[in-house]
């Protein structure tokens, strides 16, 4: 330390310049010499290293070692930045070796963790994800051990080359340390994703988001979108409470973004537009939330023909009552976002919609209404003019919301009206849509329209069955609904034809099931048409038979197809056996004298 | 299975630039063409065999590449299909040569002219033939636009003064670039003129704004509209032909082609912005449940959404350099091409009527 004096100040100055070159200047390097500043920084670091070894002979060994480790770290990062991985690895390894004995002490722990982070990145660049994982996990373990055993804000690595009066505050130290650890978690999230440890990856994403919030290292819009997207992961796992929490947090944080007055107040039209789009995106995540919650509840409640099972309903209601008492415990287990004030807003947001399965119409309706509100909000931005695909997807979700709500409705007339609402929103869009550019959506709409008419017809039949006798109005209604269902199924099947209007010999895998179901439903619909004209009835039976036969023949020719349509095939076979006899009987009635 | 949706993939091997083979010796090549649809990559320890729809070796002529790759697509464009031809590969693998031809000024009559000028010629040849066959009953209107996608921003190459443009959708016309200049074309020569003019803009931009041409995608689109009068019934048909020069594949590390590399956090606060990509990936592998992902496709995939399967005809020409120094890039190009064969527009129909067979 004797040789230091003015010398030490110069060393610190060189070190500082090197860091500025590396972090700030290098971004302005010309494309032809992308690493110019990095190379200059490297030269400076080498100089510092030499000055140190000259000055510190006989000095305190531990201090010298730690300072050397800082330099090795900087050199390691410098070399990896310039694509010299092997050299970078050597430096980083030397850094960790020097620190090994002191890694749990406050002046070393942060540096050690950062060195491990960088070794993780380095090995991932060599496509050795497993090796990267070991470094990052050991960094994680070290953080936890340090926090448990010491926990004081540790030194930032740069402080080893600072004069006493420049040293950082505890608050700043802690902020930097926590950030280094957040990076560890963020890299681990990526590692787990690459290793397809999905659940773990999601957990680390969640924690990263949480820490971003805690240490104010986030941009509200970006953060909100990430949280909203994460909610969709939880949806796919049916974790509705977590999903709702992410969405509520996304909405709360997003609303902050709108409130922040922009620095120069010259926000462009484009920025405004972007903000509106993000808001609509989050609304769409909410729609999916409501939809999934309703659909999952439906799955729980339906019997084997897709109707509400009242026994199951009672059973689930009893079960829920029991669970409610334990609810508080479960709540604490979830990872919560935010510190007190944010947390309060998030909780308030959550209260607006349930996260437990709705078990009756009233409960279902409440979730439906929330979903429907978000449909309106999303549509405000995603208008059909300019955002065709998004707009239609939202309308499809709206229709799906009605569909699942109808499941909970016990009154058939009212249920029928809900399906009519679906028709009213889907039909005009379908009519306008150009299938040359929107073939896929066009097919989806055809199929959904067909299905909706089919369902309405079934309902009308059920209503009719309760009557003493079918009145002509009901008959007309049933027939016209059936005809419309047939029309849309046929449109769907026609969309599979090639330009020469020929139906494919063999169906592509992705349209196999829908095409077969369409054929099967058409067959059934012809069977349901009501007519007093026996000749007409015979014709309908004939058509019906042809469609059933198609299914049977097709599966005979392509046995693999049978797996996709097991139930339908079985019933078709039965009908192919039955119908000819019935038709024979009808024919005999028509011409009794033959 | 059935001919149609799957994307056709062609691989073309360019000759090594002069002198390369000599300096590298006999072992200078990293691959060999085994047949007209297989290629062997001399990887260690085991060589790897790739199969594609068509493999063009170093001797294959421009004419023959055109016939096997583009002819069909131009024809189906006349039949009302949308068609797209992509060129993919690392910088220096011969994309521009394949698509445009030698980098001289007048490629249009050059015997080595590429797929694009030849497609123009063939398209207008077909139009003339149709017109003659149908007489006055049928008329055609051809328009073109030429845009560049750089850094997820869209620029109009036919109007260098324009600022960034936006992608929008129209319920009848599909995806379009809002405000892009459309130029009417009456002949192949005119089409070529527009193309070269735009291409020059692309180069100018690459120096004045410090952009590197291989970092941008260029999309040249021809709209063919035919009108047929049959008695009082007017039948209008329209289709698109997209010719796409993709950015050098080595520049696409940030898209889906990348390997296992971790996204670095850097120093500034914004640093964790890639977290969204990780989360998106997690949701992507979800189990087909209803969900919405907040992050959009890239501009390029959005623009060419119709081209990936559905009722469009698409082919990719993967260009590779045979030099052993390019081994890594060649392997990744071939892997990409292999994956591209699997791309299809999944016609998922919401069909959940199980049980409803009473």
């Amino acid at each position: 330390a004797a040789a230091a004096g003015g010398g030490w100040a110069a060393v610190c100055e060189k070190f500082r310049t090197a860091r500025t070159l590396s972090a700030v200047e290098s971004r302005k390097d010309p494309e032809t010499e992308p690493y110019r500043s990095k190379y200059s920084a490297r030269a400076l670091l080498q100089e510092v290293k030499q000055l140190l070894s000259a000055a510190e002979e006989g000095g305190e060994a531990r201090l010298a070692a730690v300072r050397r480790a800082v330099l090795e770290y900087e050199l390691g990062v410098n070399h990896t930045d310039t694509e010299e991985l092997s050299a970078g690895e050597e430096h980083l390894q030397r850094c960790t070796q020097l620190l090994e004995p002191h890694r749990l002490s406050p002046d070393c722990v942060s540096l050690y963790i950062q060195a491990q982070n960088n070794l993780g990145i380095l090995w991932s660049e060599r496509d050795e994800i497993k090796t990267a994982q070991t470094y990052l996990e050991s960094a994680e373990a070290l953080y936890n051990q340090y926090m448990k055993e010491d926990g004081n804000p540790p030194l930032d690595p740069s402080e080893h080359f600072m004069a006493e009066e420049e040293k950082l505050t505890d608050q700043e130290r802690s902020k930097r340390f926590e950030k280094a650890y957040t990076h560890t978690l963020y890299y681990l999230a990526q590692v787990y994703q690459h290793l397809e440890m999905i659940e773990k990856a999601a957990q680390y994403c969640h924690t990263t988001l949480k820490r971003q919030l805690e240490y104010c290292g986030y941009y509200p819009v970006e953060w909100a979108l990430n949280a909203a997207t994460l909610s969709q992961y939880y949806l796919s796992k049916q974790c509705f409470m977590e999903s709702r929490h992410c969405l509520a947090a996304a909405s709360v944080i997003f609303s902050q973004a709108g409130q922040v007055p922009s620095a120069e107040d010259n926000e462009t039209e484009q920025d405004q537009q972007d903000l509106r789009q993000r808001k609509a995106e989050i609304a769409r995540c909410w729609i999916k939330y409501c939809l999934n919650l309703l659909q999952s509840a439906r799955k729980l409640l339906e019997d084997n023909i897709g109707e509400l099972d009242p026994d199951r309903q009672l059973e689930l209601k009893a079960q829920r009552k029991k669970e409610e008492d334990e609810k508080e415990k479960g709540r604490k287990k979830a990872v919560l976002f935010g510190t007190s004030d944010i947390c309060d807003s998030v909780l308030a947001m959550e209260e607006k919609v349930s996260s437990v399965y709705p078990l009756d119409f009233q409960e279902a309706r409440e979730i439906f209404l929330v979903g429907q509100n978000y449909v309106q909000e999303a549509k405000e931005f995603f208008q059909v003019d300019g955002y065709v695909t998004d707009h239609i997807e939202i309308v499809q979700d709206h229709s799906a919301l009605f569909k699942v709500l109808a499941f909970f409705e016990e009154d058939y007339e009212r249920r029928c009206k809900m399906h009519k609402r679906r028709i009213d929103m889907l039909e005009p869009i379908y009519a306008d849509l150009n299938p040359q550019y929107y073939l896929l959506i066009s097919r989806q709409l055809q199929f959904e329209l067909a299905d909706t008419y089919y369902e309405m017809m079934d309902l009308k039949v059920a209503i009719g069955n309760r009557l003493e006798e079918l009145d002509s109005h009901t008959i007309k209604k049933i027939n016209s609904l059936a005809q419309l269902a047939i029309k849309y199924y046929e449109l769907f099947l026609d969309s599979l034809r090639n330009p020469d209007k020929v139906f494919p010999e063999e169906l592509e895998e992705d349209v196999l099931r829908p095409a077969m179901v369409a054929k099967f439903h058409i067959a059934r619909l012809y069977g349901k048409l009501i007519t007093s004209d026996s000749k007409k009835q015979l014709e309908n039976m004939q058509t019906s038979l042809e469609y059933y036969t198609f299914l049977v023949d097709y599966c005979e020719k392509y046995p693999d197809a049978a797996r996709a349509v097991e139930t339908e095939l079985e019933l078709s076979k039965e009908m192919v056996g039955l119908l000819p006899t019935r038709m024979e009987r009808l024919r005999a009635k028509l011409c009794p004298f033959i | 299975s059935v001919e149609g949706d799957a994307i056709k993939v062609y691989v073309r091997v360019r000759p090594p630039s002069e002198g390369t083979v000599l300096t590298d010796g006999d072992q200078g090549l990293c691959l060999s063409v085994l047949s007209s649809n297989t290629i062997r990559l001399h990887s260690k320890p085991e060589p790897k065999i790739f199969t594609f729809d068509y493999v063009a070796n170093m001797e294959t002529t421009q004419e023959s590449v055109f016939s096997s790759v583009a002819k069909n697509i131009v024809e189906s464009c006349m039949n009302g299909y949308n068609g797209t031809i992509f060129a993919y590969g690392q910088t220096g693998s011969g994309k521009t040569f394949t698509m445009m031809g030698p980098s001289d000024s007048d490629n249009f009559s050059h015997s080595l002219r590429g797929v694009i000028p030849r497609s123009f010629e063939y398209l207008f040849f077909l139009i003339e033939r149709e017109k003659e066959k149908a007489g006055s009953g049928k008329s055609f209107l051809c328009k073109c636009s030429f845009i560049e996608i750089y850094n997820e921003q869209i620029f109009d190459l036919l109007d260098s003064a324009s600022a960034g443009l936006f992608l929008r959708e129209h319920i009848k016309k599909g995806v379009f670039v809002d405000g892009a200049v459309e130029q009417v074309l009456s002949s192949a020569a005119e089409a070529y003129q527009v193309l070269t003019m735009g291409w020059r803009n692309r180069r100018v931009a690459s120096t004045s704004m410090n952009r590197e041409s291989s970092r941008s995608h260029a999309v040249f689109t021809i709209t063919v509209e035919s009108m047929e009068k049959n008695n009082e019934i007017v039948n209008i048909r329209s289709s698109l032909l997209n010719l796409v020069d993709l950015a050098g594949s080595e520049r696409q590390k940030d898209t889906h082609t990348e390997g296992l590399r971790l996204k670095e956090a850097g120093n500034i606060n914004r640093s964790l912005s890639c977290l969204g990509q990780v989360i998106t990936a997690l949701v992507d592998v979800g189990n087909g449940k209803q969900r919405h992902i907040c992050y959009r496709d890239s501009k390029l995939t959005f623009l060419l959404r119709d081209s990936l399967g559905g009722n469009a005809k698409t082919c990719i020409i993967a260009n590779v350099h045979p030099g052993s120094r390019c081994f890594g890039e060649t392997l990744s190009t071939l892997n990409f091409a292999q994956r591209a064969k699997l791309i299809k527009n999944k016609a998922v129909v919401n069909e959940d009527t199980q049980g409803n067979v009473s």
Side-chain angles (χ1 to χ4, degrees):
Chain A
W8 176 240
V11 164
C12 290
E13 185 55 35
K14 270 200 169 64
F15 182 83
R16 198 199 320 258
T17 315
R19 283 185 49 112
T20 319
L21 275 169
S22 212
V24 185
E25 292 300 316
S26 70
R27 263 179 271 153
K28 293 177 235 157
D29 284 344
E31 289 231 338
T32 45
E33 293 175 84
Y35 300 137
R36 194 167 66 186
S37 306
K38 297 264 182 198
Y39 294 145
S40 319
R42 186 191 297 179
L44 280 176
L45 290 167
Q46 301 282 17
E47 274 179 47
V48 173
K49 204 168 143 182
Q50 266 169 12
L51 286 173
L52 271 192
S53 56
E56 278 173 348
E57 260 170 51
E60 196 206 321
R62 184 176 185 281
L63 183 67
V66 173
R67 282 180 181 162
R68 281 235 354 246
V70 176
L71 287 173
E72 294 292 350
Y73 171 77
E74 292 289 341
L75 283 166
V77 173
N78 183 290
H79 280 86
T80 48
D81 281 349
T82 55
E83 296 168 31
E84 295 164 49
L85 294 189
S86 303
E89 189 197 351
E90 276 172 36
H91 285 294
L92 288 169
Q93 288 293 12
R94 239 173 276 149
C95 168
T96 53
Q97 274 156 20
L98 286 164
L99 292 179
E100 200 63 50
H102 324 297
R103 63 203 172 96
L104 266 170
S105 64
D107 58 339
C108 297
V109 65
S110 186
L111 178 60
Y112 193 83
I113 284 176
Q114 290 182 46
Q116 302 253 27
N117 280 354
N118 276 284
L119 282 163
I121 292 175
L122 188 142
W123 280 100
S124 81
E125 284 188 33
R126 293 171 168 166
D127 282 0
E128 296 267 354
I129 287 291
K130 288 269 183 200
T131 313
Q133 184 190 3
T134 55
Y135 282 111
L136 293 167
E137 281 177 350
S138 96
E140 183 188 24
L142 179 62
Y143 171 88
N144 287 326
Q145 197 186 349
Y146 177 81
M147 290 312 271
K148 203 171 132 202
E149 291 176 12
D150 189 320
N152 289 309
L155 244 58
D156 187 68
S158 62
E159 290 186 83
H160 293 291
F161 288 90
M162 276 183 191
E164 204 53 49
E165 63 274 15
E166 291 171 314
K167 294 267 161 91
L168 304 171
T169 60
D170 272 359
Q171 199 189 4
E172 180 63 24
R173 280 178 179 167
S174 160
K175 199 176 130 195
R176 294 194 187 185
F177 180 55
E178 294 300 340
K179 197 158 152 194
Y181 178 60
T182 305
H183 285 178
T184 306
L185 298 176
Y186 164 71
Y187 298 134
L188 276 170
Q190 298 179 61
V191 160
Y192 293 135
Q193 181 226 318
H194 287 312
L195 294 173
E196 291 177 29
M197 299 160 75
I198 301 304
E199 210 164 310
K200 217 155 178 194
Q203 189 195 322
Y204 277 76
C205 285
H206 196 135
T207 315
T208 306
L209 285 175
K210 187 172 142 69
R211 294 179 57 90
Q212 277 183 286
L213 213 52
E214 266 165 30
Y215 300 100
C216 297
Y218 68 99
Y219 279 66
V221 177
E222 197 178 274
W223 194 95
L225 279 189
N226 283 339
T229 311
L230 187 61
S231 79
Q232 305 298 291
Y233 163 79
Y234 286 121
L235 268 194
S236 66
K237 297 277 164 208
Q238 307 224 48
C239 302
F240 293 104
M241 192 168 66
E242 287 82 355
S243 183
R244 181 180 68 170
H245 188 64
C246 287
L247 278 169
S251 289
V252 167
I253 298 297
F254 184 86
S255 65
Q256 290 183 348
Q259 286 160 10
V260 177
S262 64
E264 298 109 61
D265 210 39
N266 63 349
E267 252 177 32
T268 59
E269 174 64 19
Q270 183 51 32
D271 290 339
Q272 289 291 338
Q273 175 96 345
D274 275 350
L275 219 54
R276 283 200 299 273
Q277 174 163 348
R278 302 298 167 226
K279 188 165 180 247
E281 301 265 17
I282 294 172
R284 292 183 68 180
C285 290
W286 275 113
I287 299 172
K288 295 293 187 192
Y289 170 83
C290 296
L291 194 52
N292 274 280
L293 185 57
L294 286 165
Q295 285 171 338
S296 303
R298 175 191 170 150
K299 277 240 154 56
L300 282 179
L301 288 166
E302 73 187 354
D303 59 18
N304 57 1
I305 57 158
E307 287 290 322
L308 195 137
D309 182 342
D311 293 341
R312 189 90 184 98
Q313 191 176 25
L314 284 175
E315 190 185 312
L316 285 169
K317 281 195 167 173
Q319 192 184 325
R320 183 199 301 175
K321 234 187 153 74
K322 228 172 66 194
E323 276 166 8
E324 247 158 31
D325 308 329
E326 294 166 28
K327 199 170 139 199
E328 277 307 302
K329 273 188 239 156
R331 195 79 191 79
K332 288 191 190 98
K333 262 190 268 165
V335 195
L336 291 176
F337 282 128
T339 42
S340 55
D341 51 333
I342 289 177
C343 210
D344 288 345
S345 322
V346 173
L347 290 176
M349 188 79 204
E350 283 186 338
E351 268 168 28
K352 293 180 184 167
V353 58
S354 163
S355 72
V356 298
Y357 295 123
L359 296 177
D360 56 33
F361 180 77
Q362 204 41 49
E363 291 174 355
R365 187 171 165 273
E366 275 167 30
I367 296 165
F368 167 87
L369 287 175
V370 173
Q372 186 166 250
N373 273 333
Y374 282 113
V375 166
Q376 300 314 338
E377 187 179 316
K379 271 202 206 154
E380 267 168 42
F381 179 81
F382 291 113
Q383 292 173 13
V384 72
D385 181 23
Y387 298 93
V388 178
T389 311
D390 292 288
H391 181 84
I392 297 180
E393 279 168 7
I394 295 164
V395 174
Q396 285 176 312
D397 280 348
H398 197 187
S399 164
L401 280 168
F402 266 112
K403 183 178 178 176
V404 67
L405 180 68
F407 166 82
F408 290 90
E409 174 60 69
E410 283 165 43
D411 183 275
Y412 280 5
E413 285 290 356
R414 293 220 317 251
R415 199 193 282 191
C416 218
K417 287 206 179 87
M418 291 178 191
H419 289 304
K420 182 68 172 70
R421 290 286 298 274
R422 300 172 60 202
I423 298 280
D424 291 344
M425 60 179 85
L426 297 171
E427 216 158 36
I429 281 192
Y430 169 73
D432 278 347
L433 196 65
N434 181 351
Q436 190 185 359
Y437 296 104
Y438 299 101
L439 180 68
L440 172 60
I441 305 181
S442 181
R443 280 181 184 163
Q444 287 177 345
L445 292 177
Q446 286 159 347
F447 205 94
E448 194 168 345
L449 280 163
D451 254 7
T452 313
Y453 278 122
Y454 186 90
E455 207 151 333
M456 286 171 76
M457 183 221 53
D458 263 352
L459 285 166
K460 287 288 175 200
V461 170
I463 293 166
N465 284 343
R466 291 177 187 165
L467 303 171
E468 292 278 297
E469 200 180 335
L470 276 182
D471 57 285
S472 69
H473 175 74
T474 311
I475 291 176
K476 244 167 109 183
K477 194 82 212 165
I478 290 174
N479 281 344
S480 92
L481 289 169
Q483 294 289 6
L484 283 162
I486 290 173
K487 171 184 138 185
Y488 282 107
Y489 281 127
E490 291 288 10
L491 281 169
F492 170 71
L493 290 170
D494 283 344
S495 82
L496 305 177
R497 293 172 190 271
N498 72 9
D500 302 322
K501 312 275 176 240
V502 181
F503 197 77
E505 222 10 69
E506 186 177 356
L507 290 157
E508 297 258 346
E509 198 193 323
D510 40 15
V511 293
L512 174 71
R513 169 140 178 101
M516 296 298 245
V517 169
K519 291 270 186 190
F520 177 75
H521 281 185
I522 294 173
R524 291 197 63 231
L525 285 157
Y526 275 104
K528 298 250 172 185
L529 286 173
I530 303 166
T531 172
S532 52
D533 177 352
S534 307
K535 243 177 105 186
K536 191 84 199 140
Q537 198 187 347
L538 198 60
E539 268 172 40
N540 289 341
M541 286 167 101
Q542 181 59 39
T543 315
S544 189
L545 179 62
E546 277 161 24
Y547 279 88
Y548 283 126
T549 312
F550 174 89
L551 227 74
V552 176
D553 288 352
Y554 188 92
C555 291
E556 212 152 88
K557 198 166 166 200
Y558 306 102
D560 281 351
R563 249 178 297 136
V565 282
E566 252 174 84
T567 327
E568 288 82 2
L569 181 60
E570 198 183 311
L571 282 159
S572 298
K573 278 182 182 159
E574 207 175 297
M575 291 310 279
V576 170
L578 283 174
L579 270 176
T581 335
R582 272 192 219 164
M583 287 163 72
E584 216 35 65
R585 236 181 282 145
L586 190 62
R587 259 190 221 111
K589 255 207 286 188
L590 267 174
C591 316
F593 306 114
I594 298 174
Chain B
S1 66
V2 193
E3 202 253 332
D5 287 358
I7 290 180
K8 295 246 181 291
V9 180
Y10 302 82
V11 171
R12 186 183 203 188
V13 182
R14 64 160 286 170
S17 32
E18 278 169 53
T20 316
V21 180
L22 293 174
T23 54
D24 276 352
D26 286 332
Q27 300 303 309
L29 299 186
C30 67
L31 53 80
S32 37
V33 176
L34 300 181
S35 74
S36 64
N37 61 5
T38 48
I39 195 166
R40 178 166 60 202
L41 193 66
H42 305 179
S43 48
K44 303 224 164 76
E46 292 278 298
K48 233 181 134 159
I49 310 260
F50 289 88
T51 305
F52 297 101
D53 293 292
Y54 180 77
V55 175
N57 61 23
M58 294 176 213
E59 280 83 44
T60 312
T61 63
Q62 295 281 68
E63 169 61 28
S64 120
V65 169
F66 168 75
S67 316
S68 40
V69 177
K71 224 172 163 181
N72 246 321
I73 293 197
V74 177
E75 278 162 11
S76 44
C77 200
M78 292 296 291
N79 292 326
Y81 275 104
N82 297 332
T84 301
I85 303 169
F86 287 97
Y88 181 87
Q90 74 177 111
T91 306
S93 61
K95 283 186 310 242
T96 307
F97 180 80
T98 300
M99 295 300 273
M100 297 284 280
S103 46
D104 309 325
S105 54
D106 183 20
N107 264 331
F108 191 53
S109 52
H110 200 292
S111 60
L112 291 178
R113 66 193 183 282
V115 165
I116 293 179
R118 284 170 205 268
S119 300
F120 292 161
E121 287 159 29
Y122 192 53
L123 179 69
F124 280 95
F125 163 77
L126 291 177
I127 288 175
E128 287 309 316
R129 203 175 64 180
E130 277 287 295
K131 276 206 242 171
E132 261 169 45
K133 257 201 316 205
S136 63
K138 199 165 187 180
S139 59
F140 286 88
L141 176 63
C142 286
K143 285 176 293 187
C144 71
S145 64
F146 196 11
I147 57 126
E148 178 183 38
I149 303 177
Y150 175 75
N151 255 348
E152 285 297 290
Q153 274 186 294
I154 302 176
F155 301 95
D156 193 341
L157 288 172
L158 300 186
D159 174 15
S160 49
S162 79
L165 300 176
F166 296 100
L167 282 177
R168 290 169 68 80
E169 283 181 295
H170 188 273
I171 199 160
K172 293 273 183 232
K173 296 186 299 193
V175 182
F176 67 102
V177 181
D178 202 2
V181 169
E182 277 196 309
Q183 214 139 316
V184 176
L185 300 173
S186 56
S187 69
E190 215 175 285
Y192 195 73
Q193 218 181 345
V194 176
L195 176 78
T196 37
M197 190 196 86
W199 199 275
R200 235 178 281 135
N201 272 339
R202 193 184 176 193
R203 295 225 169 157
V204 170
S206 75
T207 55
S208 72
M209 288 174 66
N210 200 17
R211 283 197 240 147
E212 201 175 306
S213 73
S214 70
R215 288 193 184 200
S216 78
H217 310 293
V219 184
F220 190 85
T221 306
I222 304 185
T223 316
V224 184
E225 228 175 72
S226 69
M227 194 168 79
E228 200 168 7
K229 262 196 200 139
N230 230 332
N231 299 321
E232 284 312 295
I233 300 159
V234 183
N235 194 2
I236 296 177
R237 203 146 73 163
S238 114
S239 51
L240 302 177
L241 179 62
N242 296 306
L243 303 159
V244 187
D245 186 28
L246 291 176
S249 50
E250 74 280 8
R251 297 288 182 211
Q252 294 171 31
K253 291 249 151 62
D254 283 334
T255 64
H256 299 300
T257 59
E258 69 157 343
L260 293 170
R261 198 170 183 271
L262 299 188
K263 297 279 197 282
E264 288 173 41
N267 301 316
I268 33 171
N269 263 342
R270 189 122 202 186
S271 55
L272 305 184
S273 60
C274 298
L275 188 66
Q277 293 180 16
V278 184
I279 302 175
T280 305
L282 298 181
V283 187
D284 258 343
V285 292
N287 41 10
K289 281 235 157 45
Q290 292 261 352
R291 54 196 159 58
H292 176 70
I293 299 178
C294 293
Y295 298 88
R296 268 196 169 282
D297 302 339
S298 76
K299 293 274 193 309
L300 183 74
T301 51
F302 188 69
L303 178 64
L304 299 171
R305 179 144 88 178
D306 309 324
S307 311
L308 304 175
N311 47 0
K313 304 271 180 199
T314 302
C315 80
I316 291 180
I317 310 174
N319 291 275
V320 293
H321 194 292
S324 50
R325 301 181 61 185
C326 300
F327 175 82
E329 290 296 346
T330 298
L331 175 63
S332 93
T333 301
L334 293 177
N335 279 333
F336 170 84
Q338 198 92 80
R339 280 200 304 277
K341 280 179 73 66
L342 304 173
I343 300 176
K344 253 176 151 196
N345 223 346
K346 278 264 180 254
V348 184
V349 170
N350 304 321
E351 186 282 309
D352 62 350
T353 48
Q354 73 274 26
N356 197 0
V357 289
S358 50

